[in-house]
Amino acid sequence: RIYDPEDFAGMHAAGRVAAEILDEIAPLVFPGQTTAEIDRVITDLVEAKGAVSATIGYKGYKHASCISVNHVVCHGIPGPKVLKDGDILNVDVTVIVDGWYGDTSRMYVAGKLSRKAERLIQVTHDSLFKGIEAVRPGNTFGDIGAAIQTYVESHRMSVVRDFCGHGLGRVFHAPPNVLHYAPFRLNEDGQKVTISGTPTRDPTPVLEEGMFFTIEPMVNLGRPETKILADDWTAVTRDKSLSAQFEHSIGVTADGCEIFTLSPGGLFHPTYS
Ligand SMILES: CCc1ccsc1-c1ccc(O)c(O)c1
Ligand SMILES: [Mn+2]
Ligand SMILES: [Mn+2]
Ligand SMILES: [Mn+2]
């Protein structure tokens, strides 16, 4: 679906509420805290801000957030698990404000951030922005994926392939799937080529003004493969390596894009303690 210029205001309002919540829970992340308690506060904040949770009741999910700790890749279920010093966690919140969806996630750390976790978080955050920088009308979704994949793999980390971003707006999920890797490689001249280096066409949809979607790369320190735990939700790295994720909701504009879910507090400190 292609949205109209006046729809951007609704997305900014929804995105801002989601981003404010992620700002406001930062002080709640510390060793000894449970992820259920963080989610409880998120639930209260959604209501206090006059918004509605998009995830409570979605496909049978019962919580206002997904909280994914360490080698959990995504869809971690809040629970009695107690955070310990050095744990890194992604908190993912989606709210509905006047029918508009704001979907965003970011990383936090309980206690002291290890150097390798800091590197992972920084590369993951920067890969999201490499993808965002590729968003403009005339580029393709493959350009977004290639920008992310090239950056991540240049740091000898891996891009999770089993989950992707998505269209959103007046709905939570809509086509297209927004892949965080590309069905082509970029050669040294930036040409789109196959793995074996022969020029190839880009089959992915072209970006157009008025498209709203998320970019939500998941990056692993080890191999890309994931598996789902017996709870049928929690996705973990197969090799148990650490995984990080950042997500923004964005809208394509005439000359680039607008990010709807930027922190109003201008916060980005992976080292929340
Ligand atoms: C808990 C929400 C949920 C349930 C099935 S997939 C999913 C989900 C979680 C985070 C997201 O960013 C998203 O787009 C979907
Ligand atoms: Mn993780
Ligand atoms: Mn999300
Ligand atoms: Mn999402």
Side-chain angles (χ1 to χ4, degrees):
R1 176 179 164 182
I2 301 296
Y3 289 90
D4 300 321
E6 54 272 17
D7 296 332
F8 280 71
M11 289 298 285
H12 275 292
R16 179 183 180 90
V17 167
E20 282 172 357
I21 290 170
L22 291 184
D23 284 357
E24 290 164 23
I25 59 147
L28 299 175
V29 180
F30 50 79
Q33 177 69 281
T34 67
T35 55
E37 174 60 16
I38 296 170
D39 180 70
R40 191 190 63 73
V41 173
I42 290 170
T43 307
D44 291 350
L45 286 171
V46 171
E47 189 186 350
K49 293 172 184 286
V52 172
S53 166
T55 57
I56 295 176
Y58 180 76
K59 293 185 177 180
Y61 193 72
K62 298 187 173 64
H63 309 274
S65 65
C66 296
I67 303 181
S68 303
V69 182
N70 294 334
H71 71 294
V72 177
V73 169
C74 61
H75 304 171
I77 301 174
K81 175 188 182 67
V82 175
L83 296 173
K84 64 185 185 308
D85 188 55
D87 280 349
I88 63 169
L89 47 151
N90 176 278
V91 179
D92 193 329
V93 173
T94 310
V95 299
I96 311 167
V97 174
D98 296 330
W100 295 102
Y101 284 70
D103 181 359
T104 183
S105 82
R106 70 173 83 142
M107 296 300 290
Y108 303 82
V109 60
K112 181 158 177 31
L113 187 60
S114 74
R115 229 197 309 283
K116 75 177 189 174
E118 182 168 18
R119 240 170 33 85
L120 169 65
I121 290 171
Q122 198 61 56
V123 166
T124 307
H125 179 266
D126 294 350
S127 77
L128 170 55
F129 281 87
K130 293 293 183 191
I132 288 172
E133 285 159 18
V135 177
R136 70 177 65 82
N139 276 5
T140 68
F141 281 94
D143 291 321
I144 298 172
I148 293 168
Q149 179 176 14
T150 304
Y151 183 77
V152 168
E153 292 178 355
S154 77
H155 285 83
R156 291 170 305 292
M157 298 178 191
S158 66
V159 175
V160 168
R161 285 154 170 72
D162 302 325
F163 304 92
C164 59
H166 49 91
L168 89 171
R170 308 267 323 153
V171 294
F172 194 173
H173 294 101
N177 285 340
V178 181
L179 301 186
H180 303 120
Y181 60 96
F184 52 79
R185 286 278 176 286
L186 296 174
N187 69 12
E188 48 285 352
D189 306 327
Q191 303 302 315
K192 296 174 183 179
V193 296
T194 66
I195 299 238
S196 56
T198 52
T200 182
R201 56 180 294 282
D202 177 350
T204 65
V206 177
L207 297 169
E208 290 178 50
E209 185 177 355
M211 284 183 171
F212 295 166
F213 52 86
T214 70
I215 306 176
E216 43 184 298
M218 289 142 278
V219 176
N220 298 346
L221 272 184
R223 302 284 310 143
E225 292 77 17
T226 71
K227 67 179 181 188
I228 306 291
L229 298 185
D231 63 16
D232 290 340
W233 283 111
T234 311
V236 297
T237 55
R238 277 193 174 276
D239 65 4
K240 295 216 181 308
S241 66
L242 285 177
S243 185
Q245 180 177 29
F246 284 88
E247 176 178 24
H248 275 310
S249 298
I250 67 171
V252 183
T253 59
D255 60 357
C257 73
E258 290 180 15
I259 305 174
F260 299 127
T261 46
L262 281 178
S263 159
L267 294 177
F268 168 65
H269 310 285
T271 60
Y272 290 129
S273 58

